[in-house]
Structure formats: structure tokens, C-alpha cells
Amino acid sequence: MDTTALLTDAFTRVNQEVHATLDGIAKKHLNQRLDPAANTVAWLVWHLTRVQDDHLADAAGQDQVWHAEGFEESFGLDLPSGDTGFGHSPQDVAAVRVDSPQPLVAYHDAVHAQTLNYLGTLSSQSLNRIVDEAWDPPVSLGVRLVSVIGDTMQHVGQAAFLRGVLERQG
């Protein structure tokens, strides 16, 4: 298996899990919390998609889908323009509200498409390119991609778990 196929498979699994988590979810469960400081399904999916969008656009030297395709305006969140959800307070989490899963799915699918297009341009050698010198050691493209896969998979798993708990609670 080549590098592109491996990375494509990993990001496609995230996309499939986002769809599985949001397919048929009750509107009330999108923005519901287990306690006042907990994340919501909507926030978790928005955050994982923002992180993927932000990190891959930066690595690829592209515009973020969030800005370029009008998702920032259509979501209309009361958050700073470049916000990805890192360090959010309970009040910030509450600001990420949707009336249906559709905007989350549409945004994630658009980011997924841009991700796959970018992955198609990569070779094994390109994964060695340093994309972030703020860390010690500096972060290579390969490490950044694996980090994004890990982060997004973890958050989509949290969203799926939360949905299940909320549905069992009624």
C-alpha cells in the first residue's frame, strides 16, 4: 500500500464515522450536554472538522474550507473567525449550535474532499517536509497528518459515544 492510499483510508474512515454518528440523530441530541461543562455532539464534530480543515490547509498552503466555501457565514457562530475549538470554555462550546446535522455533514464532506485532493499530491518523500518549527523536534508533514487522524478519530468516537448515551437516556 502506498502513502496516499494509507492516508486516504484513514481520513475516509473518519468521514464514514462522522456520517454514522450524525445519520438520523435527533435534533435535541445535537446540542445536548451530559453536564454543564461537557461537550456536545455538534461541538465535537465541528471541532474535529475545524482542526482537520485548519491543519491540512496550512500544510497544503491552501485556504481553509471554513472561509473559502462560506461555512463560517452559514454557521454564523459567535466565535472568532479562526477559532478551531482549542481551549474552549463551556460557554464557547455552547456557542456551537446547529438545528440539524446537515451543516456539520456538509462542512465535513467539503473538508474531506479537499483533504483527499491534497493527499493525492503527496509522495512518501513529501512526508518528511517540516511544517511546524514551533515544536522540539520540529513537526514533519507525516507527523502532522498522523496527529490530525488521531485527534479526529478520538473526537468522532467521543461524539458517537455521547450520542449513544443521550439516546439511551431518552
Side-chain angles (χ1 to χ4, degrees), residues 44-68:
L44 287 162
V45 173
W46 171 83
H47 169 64
L48 74 87
T49 307
R50 286 293 297 125
V51 168
Q52 183 174 330
D53 190 10
D54 174 77
H55 286 31
L56 270 80
D58 181 61
Q62 300 172 330
D63 291 332
Q64 291 180 29
V65 170
W66 181 248
H67 307 294

Side-chain angles (χ1 to χ4, degrees), residues 20-126:
T21 299
L22 296 177
D23 184 42
I25 191 170
K27 178 182 170 181
K28 70 179 183 177
H29 293 144
L30 284 166
N31 304 302
Q32 190 174 351
R33 294 170 137 174
L34 290 179
D35 66 52
N39 295 328
T40 65
V41 170
W43 185 88
L44 287 162
V45 173
W46 171 83
H47 169 64
L48 74 87
T49 307
R50 286 293 297 125
V51 168
Q52 183 174 330
D53 190 10
D54 174 77
H55 286 31
L56 270 80
D58 181 61
Q62 300 172 330
D63 291 332
Q64 291 180 29
V65 170
W66 181 248
H67 307 294
E69 295 188 25
F71 287 100
E72 181 178 13
E73 291 80 23
S74 67
F75 272 74
L77 304 179
D78 187 22
L79 295 170
S81 178
D83 201 329
T84 62
F86 283 116
H88 267 190
S89 68
Q91 294 77 21
D92 295 328
V93 171
V96 179
R97 298 187 63 80
V98 294
D99 292 329
S100 80
Q102 189 282 328
L104 294 166
V105 170
Y107 177 42
H108 189 79
D109 283 349
V111 170
H112 182 63
Q114 181 164 296
T115 297
L116 295 185
N117 287 336
Y118 176 56
L119 294 178
T121 70
L122 300 179
S123 67
S124 295
Q125 280 305 107
S126 60

Side-chain angles (χ1 to χ4, degrees), residues 121-134:
T121 70
L122 300 179
S123 67
S124 295
Q125 280 305 107
S126 60
L127 298 180
N128 295 322
R129 179 174 60 90
I130 301 301
V131 296
D132 190 347
E133 294 191 13

